[in-house]
Amino acid sequence: MRRRLGIGPTDAFPDRNDDNEEDYVGRLYDEAGDLEERADRGAHFVRKAFLIALFHHWERHCNAELKRATYGHPRGWLSQRGKSPYAKEILELERAANCAKHGPVHSCQNLFKMAPDLFPTVATAAKASERTLAIDGSTLDRFFEVVRKAAS
């Protein structure tokens, strides 16, 4: 923006002139708003992809540590290692990843019952789906931190 407007890093941004349809500054601000909106929509999909990848990383870690071929929630293993406080959040991560992958199935409904705040636009478990699952940056950061602590 600054380069296209020809202003320095500490210069104030110029005001737009909404009375002039040919106003370069106004068109540039509109373009920047459109780009920001597209980036926000894309970021939601990227966060869901990271959520799924994070759970798969956790799943592989547990299978290797427990010498298992298939994943099962490792409550006992977490408890033995003094990590039982993370068991519920790991289950929430698992359900969120499954909801993000598979859509409106039992994982979404069970996740809604566990964490309805992850579905801010719906009021019942029956309406919970991948499309209504909201993974913001702080939620994703929380899941990364839980996996880091549970795995250490």
Side-chain angles (χ1 to χ4, degrees):
M1 288 282 291
R2 290 183 177 281
R3 183 178 49 78
R4 287 181 65 186
L5 288 169
I7 60 176
T10 59
D11 294 335
F13 282 97
D15 291 330
R16 67 186 301 149
N17 181 356
D18 288 328
D19 295 332
N20 180 358
E21 289 182 23
E22 300 299 318
D23 178 43
Y24 176 75
V25 173
R27 287 194 328 252
L28 186 59
Y29 289 171
D30 291 343
E31 181 184 332
D34 291 342
L35 290 172
E36 182 177 25
E37 186 177 312
R38 279 192 270 161
D40 285 345
R41 282 194 309 265
H44 182 69
F45 292 110
V46 170
R47 285 191 299 271
K48 284 183 182 178
F50 271 103
L51 173 83
I52 294 166
L54 176 63
F55 177 69
H56 284 296
H57 170 75
W58 169 255
E59 186 177 41
R60 284 190 303 274
H61 171 75
C62 289
N63 289 349
E65 288 289 318
L66 297 170
K67 297 173 183 24
R68 292 182 183 170
T70 58
Y71 179 79
H73 190 289
R75 282 180 194 87
W77 178 66
L78 288 169
S79 181
Q80 289 171 356
R81 298 175 58 240
K83 307 286 183 166
S84 56
Y86 305 113
K88 183 178 178 190
E89 288 181 288
I90 292 292
L91 182 59
E92 183 182 335
L93 168 64
E94 177 181 0
R95 289 178 177 172
N98 285 333
C99 178
K101 287 190 307 187
H102 303 299
V105 294
H106 296 294
S107 291
C108 293
Q109 293 169 358
N110 290 333
L111 178 61
F112 181 87
K113 292 172 189 171
M114 178 182 246
D117 56 306
L118 295 180
F119 300 92
T121 62
V122 298
T124 65
K127 302 266 185 191
S129 72
E130 179 277 328
R131 290 183 178 196
T132 60
L133 175 64
I135 301 298
D136 61 18
S138 64
T139 300
L140 188 60
D141 288 344
R142 177 175 58 87
F143 283 135
F144 268 96
E145 186 65 13
V146 165
V147 167
R148 187 185 67 73
K149 287 178 177 179
S152 63

